[in-house]
Amino acid sequence: MAFQKLRLTYYVCLLLVGVLCLYFSMAPLKEEPFIFKKKYGTFLQLPDIDCRQDPPFLVLLVTSSHKQVAARMAIRKTWGGERTVSGRQVRTFFLLGTTANQDEMSAVAQESQQHGDIIQKNFRDVYFNLTLKTMMGMEWVHYFCPQVAFVMKTDSDMFVNVHYLTELLLKKNRTSRFFTGFLKLNEYPIRKKFNKWFVSKYEYPWDRYPPFCSGTGYVFSSDVASQVYNVSESVPFIKLEDVFVGLCLAKLHIRPEELHSQQTFFPGGLRFSVCRFRKIVACHFITPKEMLIYWQVLQTSQEDCPEV
């Protein structure tokens, strides 16, 4: 009888332990959310430019990774190689983090020395640190190149028509609190756990994002870089860099706006034609090989295109 009571007590205790384990596994974590720190990491590579002596009109900041050597070379040979557009200075730089592979780190250091166009800090270079990478670009503008008129943040698989972008920016004639790109004005957080862009209610408890622009390419006046950088520590961190920048803009009461009455940013890609690509600012899903081909065709084509 005593043995049966002991066994019953054992099973009851086991059941209680199981219930407690289940409860704690389902309970929300009480950890503090990650807050972006403005001084996160130190610069390992800086580009060869002195903005105080020769301020550029436009700086293009391209998010890249250690393995995307071909993409960087293609950009350097095409739109990223442009230094003067309509009499204005334009410069292109690549944003990178770090990797555990020492050969890749050494190769990037050598590439930086050769081309002088890499900005790098010591955070892990993975997709979900894209916010850190973008904020590194904002920080660089804030400290090293506030004299630039405009900045574009874009990706390494984008074709950028620097000439048309410069033309539109000159026509727009906006020098402060300006932010443009492919507008996303009514976006909702994705709550499906296995989705690449999943965001939990703990990370972002609200039902809708503030207005932002697709991270594939957006353009802003240089004062916005400093303002976003300064306000960033007071904004809840989120791994989606374009949304995080949108949260910063909302706090600053800066609303993204259209660059042109016609669509000029194409985050979903676009079929190539000479006339089409002459009147776009940015197109996504372009391979290094396509970039080289499209650029060559655009430079040599004599095709007459209708005015838009």
Side-chain angles (χ1 to χ4, degrees), residues 74-144:
I75 290 171
R76 289 183 185 113
K77 291 176 181 178
T78 58
W79 54 266
E82 297 280 48
R83 291 298 182 95
T84 306
V85 177
S86 300
R88 269 74 174 181
Q89 186 191 172
V90 176
R91 295 293 300 272
T92 299
F93 303 121
F94 299 96
L95 307 177
L96 285 92
T98 61
T99 173
N101 187 315
Q102 289 306 308
D103 289 339
E104 289 180 345
M105 287 290 287
S106 298
V108 164
Q110 189 174 9
E111 188 180 338
S112 177
Q113 189 173 14
Q114 180 182 353
H115 298 283
D117 60 2
I118 288 177
I119 302 171
Q120 183 185 36
K121 287 185 83 172
N122 62 338
F123 58 85
R124 194 173 167 221
D125 201 322
V126 293
Y127 178 77
F128 287 121
N129 275 344
L130 196 52
T131 297
L132 296 182
K133 192 176 286 186
T134 300
M135 293 309 299
M136 173 181 69
M138 300 283 188
E139 180 182 359
W140 179 82
V141 173
H142 175 73
Y143 284 113
F144 296 97

Side-chain angles (χ1 to χ4, degrees), residues 28-37 202-203 236-237:
L29 297 173
K30 299 298 181 185
E31 295 175 4
E32 288 296 312
F34 178 80
I35 300 297
F36 173 77
K37 297 296 181 185
Y202 180 70
E203 290 175 276
F237 184 87

Side-chain angles (χ1 to χ4, degrees), residues 12 137 232:
V12 168
S232 57

Side-chain angles (χ1 to χ4, degrees), residues 57-58 85-86 88 90 162-170:
F57 173 76
L58 174 65
V85 177
S86 300
R88 269 74 174 181
V90 176
V162 184
H163 290 264
Y164 193 51
L165 172 58
T166 300
E167 179 187 323
L168 292 177
L169 288 174
L170 289 169

